[in-house]
């Protein structure tokens, strides 16, 4: 990804266009603001959580052009012209949960749920690329997300439940 030329002076903004959860957004942004801040503060989608703001915890994970990305580490201007999916974009238009959300719900995967957006977005990408992962592959893929409550086994169980749901076996 090529960075745009940023020559804005303090107080100046840069116009960017994003597609977030299939909705077009043209925004005037401070070139120093992170993508996470723009998603939360300017667009009002607060499901993308900010935990560490250093890219370590994974709570801010979104799908950027279909790939998991830490939105706290990206400047909003870097995302100009991209397609973004946040946790709010997973559910169907009628409100039905995405199979990954349903699987995590059924497995009671989360306690406080602060980390859940990052785990869910990472899992969506994992199951898109590997619809039948092993436990080891699940652990490896989700190792970049931190949870302080669960001990992770219930999250792995949730992914396995989602695999079953996505195959139509309930």
């Amino acid at each position: 990804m090529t960075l745009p030329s940023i020559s804005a002076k303090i107080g100046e903004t840069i116009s960017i266009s994003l597609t977030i959860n299939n909705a077009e957004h043209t925004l005037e942004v401070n070139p120093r603001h992170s993508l996470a801040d723009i998603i939360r503060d300017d667009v009002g989608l607060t499901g993308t959580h900010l935990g560490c703001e250093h890219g370590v915890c994974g709570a801010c994970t979104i799908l950027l052009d279909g790939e998991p990305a830490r939105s706290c580490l990206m400047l909003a201007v870097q995302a100009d012209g991209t397609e973004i999916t946040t946790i709010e974009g997973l559910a169907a238009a009628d409100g039905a949960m995405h199979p990954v959300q349903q699987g995590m719900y059924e497995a009671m995967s989360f306690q406080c749920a602060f980390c859940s957006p990052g785990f869910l977005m990472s899992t969506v990408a994992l199951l898109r690329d590997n619809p039948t992962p092993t436990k080891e592959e699940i652990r490896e893929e989700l190792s970049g997300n931190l949870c302080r409550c669960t001990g992770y086994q219930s999250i792995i169980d949730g992914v396995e439940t989602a695999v079953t749901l996505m195959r139509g076996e309930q």
Side-chain angles (χ1 to χ4, degrees):
M1 182 179 303
T2 305
L3 287 175
S5 173
I6 302 174
S7 60
K9 294 182 176 135
I10 293 177
E12 291 184 332
T13 60
I14 294 176
S15 180
I16 63 170
S17 295
L18 307 166
T19 302
I20 303 176
N21 301 331
N22 298 315
E24 297 288 329
H25 296 273
T26 299
L27 305 163
E28 293 294 323
V29 301
N30 181 315
R32 295 166 191 81
H33 285 179
S34 74
L35 180 57
D37 289 333
I38 298 304
I39 290 170
R40 291 178 55 80
D41 300 336
D42 294 10
V43 181
L45 299 174
T46 57
T48 299
H49 292 164
L50 288 168
C52 67
E53 296 192 59
H54 295 284
V56 176
C57 73
C60 69
T61 302
I62 53 148
L63 298 181
L64 181 77
D65 290 332
E67 297 302 318
R70 302 288 204 247
S71 63
C72 76
L73 292 179
M74 272 187 93
L75 294 173
V77 295
Q78 290 176 282
D80 187 25
T82 62
E83 188 168 319
I84 295 167
T85 305
T86 68
I87 189 71
E88 292 91 345
L90 287 187
D94 66 359
M97 283 192 271
H98 185 282
V100 170
Q101 291 172 307
Q102 186 67 39
M104 297 289 190
Y105 172 78
E106 289 182 17
M108 295 186 284
S109 296
F110 302 109
Q111 291 178 29
C112 84
F114 189 82
C115 65
S116 63
F119 274 103
L120 289 163
M121 301 312 289
S122 295
T123 300
V124 167
L126 166 65
L127 298 184
R128 179 200 61 223
D129 297 340
N130 181 359
T132 56
T134 65
K135 277 189 189 326
E136 293 75 29
E137 290 169 328
I138 295 168
R139 282 188 187 99
E140 176 65 27
E141 187 65 28
L142 299 182
S143 66
N145 294 75
L146 301 178
C147 175
R148 295 179 179 169
C149 300
T150 68
Y152 298 97
Q153 186 56 50
S154 60
I155 296 170
I156 293 166
D157 294 344
V159 175
E160 291 179 324
T161 302
V163 166
T164 301
L165 291 169
M166 292 174 86
R167 288 195 312 224
E169 307 165 6
Q170 198 158 357

